Amino acid sequence: MMIWLRNVMLAVMAAVAWAAPVTADSSIQLGPRPLYLLQALPEGVLKQKLQSCANGPFYRTDFSIAHRGAPLMFPEHSQQSYQAAISMGAGIAECDVTFTSDKQLVCRHAQCDLHQTTDILLRPELAAKCRQPFQAASGDSAASAECCSSDISLAEFSSLCARMDGVNERAQSVQQYLQGTPAWRTSLYNQCAKPMTHRESIQLFAAAGIKMTPELKQPEVAMPYQGNYTQQHYAQQLVNEYKAAGVAPSQVYLQSFNYQDILYWLAQEPEFGRQAVWLDGRYEQPGFDAMLPDSWRPSMQQLKQDGLNIIAPPLWLLVTEQDGAIVPSAYAKAARQAGLNIIAWSLERSRPLAEGADWYYQSLPTLANSDAAVLQLLDVLARDVGVIGVFSDWPATTTFYASCMQPPQQNVPP
């Protein structure tokens, strides 16, 4: 216990050293949501501190990571979503990366999600190319479709309109099928948002002066694709586009759930690989127990020995309930003890918490009972777990918290 406590104290001291103050950014616009969440907090030290910062100043900070842009209200991975995140002070933005039929990289959360995140089904000439055409609901069978970026060319992809994610599984028509955005999001900004290529995202983020965290998505086609495009080609192409754009490795946090991608970057592109982020999906392994480190394969120590420096689990893996409070989990302590930095995902991707804790809050079944838990969890992640950043679907909240509670981070070393 004393060793772990010493490591935490050293990490906190290091975080302060990394976080050099900068001039407040008057261009940052946070809107009403952070104050709405603040009002939901019970009276106490956290609320008093955050209330003192209600009027700023606000800073752009690497702690605030835009998850797919700002998809709580804007179509994910669209130019409009990214611009909203930039305006909210995100210091890092994410382009989930997949590829088209002509092997060009584009920003999509999954290779085969175009049917629910774009208007492809409303374009007959492109809908005809989908892996599975639209099928209406019938009896116990839900309405369905499947359209992949690999079904169409880059030019065809760029002609689409991005739209809010979600489908109506009881639909009898394409128009009904596309009316499935959850009620707690909005379709207010759903008017033909522009989908982004990976290169376009690099240009946009570089122009805004923010860092980049692309996620190499798992292909949903057989690899090697078209007989010659291997997983290694795919991973290398991602890095090559940053090199071609003149982006320094220090500005890029490569991500993947596929640990072999991480090992490839560590071996072949060590300057980029040293701050690659492994998205930890070990919770899906048979026998995984969040409380038992012996059930985690590979172990935290093995990950660090392999050269990994940053691990990124879902929110619920990092915290648990104890005596009526949110506290760091065994997972969080083990990761820090092994010398790993932590990034968490994804804040504000949940329905209103008064409706009950969802997947992201599953380790807080009694405490995540109102939207106040958003800021309470964020505070524990920052102060007690010691995360270096948090993905959010609404970066204004993480920007607000970081601007108030700690100096803005300028460089987060691996």
Side-chain angles (χ1 to χ4, degrees):
M1 177 61 73
M2 291 303 296
I3 294 176
W4 176 80
L5 181 60
R6 182 197 64 188
N7 287 345
V8 169
M9 293 177 64
L10 290 174
V12 170
M13 294 169 62
V16 172
W18 303 339
V22 295
T23 304
D25 189 339
S26 61
S27 71
I28 294 174
Q29 302 294 320
L30 299 187
R33 181 162 175 79
L35 297 185
Y36 159 78
L37 295 173
L38 177 56
Q39 290 170 354
L41 277 176
E43 296 300 325
V45 174
L46 177 59
K47 186 170 186 174
Q48 291 174 3
K49 174 59 177 176
L50 292 176
Q51 282 176 329
S52 72
C53 304
N55 296 318
F58 305 120
Y59 305 89
R60 190 169 304 284
T61 166
D62 293 350
F63 185 84
S64 180
I65 307 174
H67 181 241
R68 314 185 200 181
L72 185 63
M73 297 183 71
F74 291 85
E76 63 185 43
H77 296 307
S78 68
Q79 180 180 352
Q80 289 80 354
S81 187
Y82 289 139
Q83 190 58 60
I86 292 167
S87 297
M88 294 179 201
I92 306 174
E94 177 188 51
C95 166
D96 289 335
V97 175
T98 187
F99 54 86
T100 59
S101 63
D102 45 356
K103 304 172 191 170
Q104 299 301 303
L105 303 183
V106 295
C107 299
R108 278 297 95 200
H109 177 64
Q111 189 162 49
C112 295
D113 71 0
L114 297 185
H115 54 283
Q116 64 190 61
T117 62
T118 75
D119 65 347
I120 190 170
L121 292 176
L122 298 175
R123 312 282 188 99
E125 72 285 359
L126 296 182
K129 298 184 177 184
C130 288
R131 177 184 292 188
Q132 179 202 317
F134 170 74
Q135 296 179 354
S138 177
D140 293 333
S141 299
S144 63
E146 189 170 37
C147 303
C148 309
S149 59
S150 52
D151 293 336
I152 58 177
S153 69
L154 178 65
E156 291 168 331
F157 173 88
S158 295
S159 74
L160 297 172
C161 294
R163 56 175 300 278
M164 289 297 286
D165 188 13
V167 296
N168 174 8
E169 293 185 344
R170 303 314 306 164
Q172 294 297 306
S173 67
V174 167
Q175 287 75 15
Q176 291 177 351
Y177 186 66
L178 295 179
Q179 294 173 0
T181 301
W184 45 272
R185 291 181 178 158
T186 181
S187 57
L188 184 63
Y189 306 109
N190 217 22
Q191 286 72 46
C192 198
K194 173 182 167 52
M196 299 288 284
T197 69
H198 180 236
R199 287 192 179 97
E200 288 172 338
S201 77
I202 293 173
Q203 293 171 353
L204 179 63
F205 301 157
I210 68 173
K211 297 177 183 178
M212 310 165 200
T213 184
E215 179 190 340
L216 196 72
K217 301 303 295 189
Q218 188 66 24
E220 297 185 47
V221 294
M223 300 293 276
Y225 180 58
Q226 298 180 351
N228 60 3
Y229 187 61
T230 67
Q231 184 72 23
Q232 291 74 29
H233 289 142
Y234 178 34
Q236 188 61 53
Q237 183 181 358
L238 179 67
V239 176
N240 288 347
E241 293 197 353
Y242 288 100
K243 289 182 173 180
V247 178
S250 62
Q251 302 301 296
V252 182
Y253 293 83
L254 305 174
Q255 302 178 76
S256 182
F257 275 99
N258 183 347
Y259 195 55
Q260 294 306 308
D261 293 335
I262 303 295
L263 294 177
Y264 175 85
W265 291 322
L266 285 168
Q268 302 300 322
E269 294 289 349
E271 290 193 16
F272 286 89
R274 66 186 294 268
Q275 60 182 36
V277 180
W278 185 42
L279 299 165
D280 189 357
R282 286 177 293 178
Y283 55 84
E284 294 185 341
Q285 295 176 356
F288 176 88
D289 187 324
M291 302 299 292
L292 297 177
D294 288 344
S295 71
W296 311 338
R297 295 289 184 273
S299 68
M300 296 292 188
Q301 291 76 15
Q302 183 61 57
L303 295 174
K304 185 63 178 177
Q305 290 172 14
D306 288 345
L308 182 72
N309 290 306
I310 307 175
I311 194 167
L315 299 172
W316 64 269
L317 262 180
L318 293 170
V319 293
T320 189
E321 297 183 352
Q322 180 178 307
D323 299 327
I326 303 173
V327 298
S329 66
Y331 177 105
K333 295 174 184 178
R336 294 304 303 269
Q337 190 168 25
L340 295 169
N341 284 310
I342 304 170
I343 291 173
W345 51 269
S346 293
L347 203 70
E348 297 188 279
R349 192 157 182 81
S350 304
R351 64 180 182 249
L353 293 175
E355 299 177 11
D358 68 358
W359 186 87
Y360 290 94
Y361 289 83
Q362 62 184 278
S363 62
L364 304 175
T366 64
L367 297 180
N369 56 12
S370 81
D371 285 343
V374 174
L375 291 174
Q376 292 169 330
L377 172 59
L378 191 55
D379 190 52
V380 172
L381 291 173
R383 288 179 172 271
D384 301 329
V385 175
V387 301
I388 61 173
V390 178
F391 280 97
S392 177
D393 279 22
W394 200 245
T397 301
T398 43
T399 299
F400 171 65
Y401 176 87
S403 295
C404 184
M405 303 299 286
Q406 60 187 44
Q409 294 172 322
Q410 291 306 292
N411 295 289
V412 180

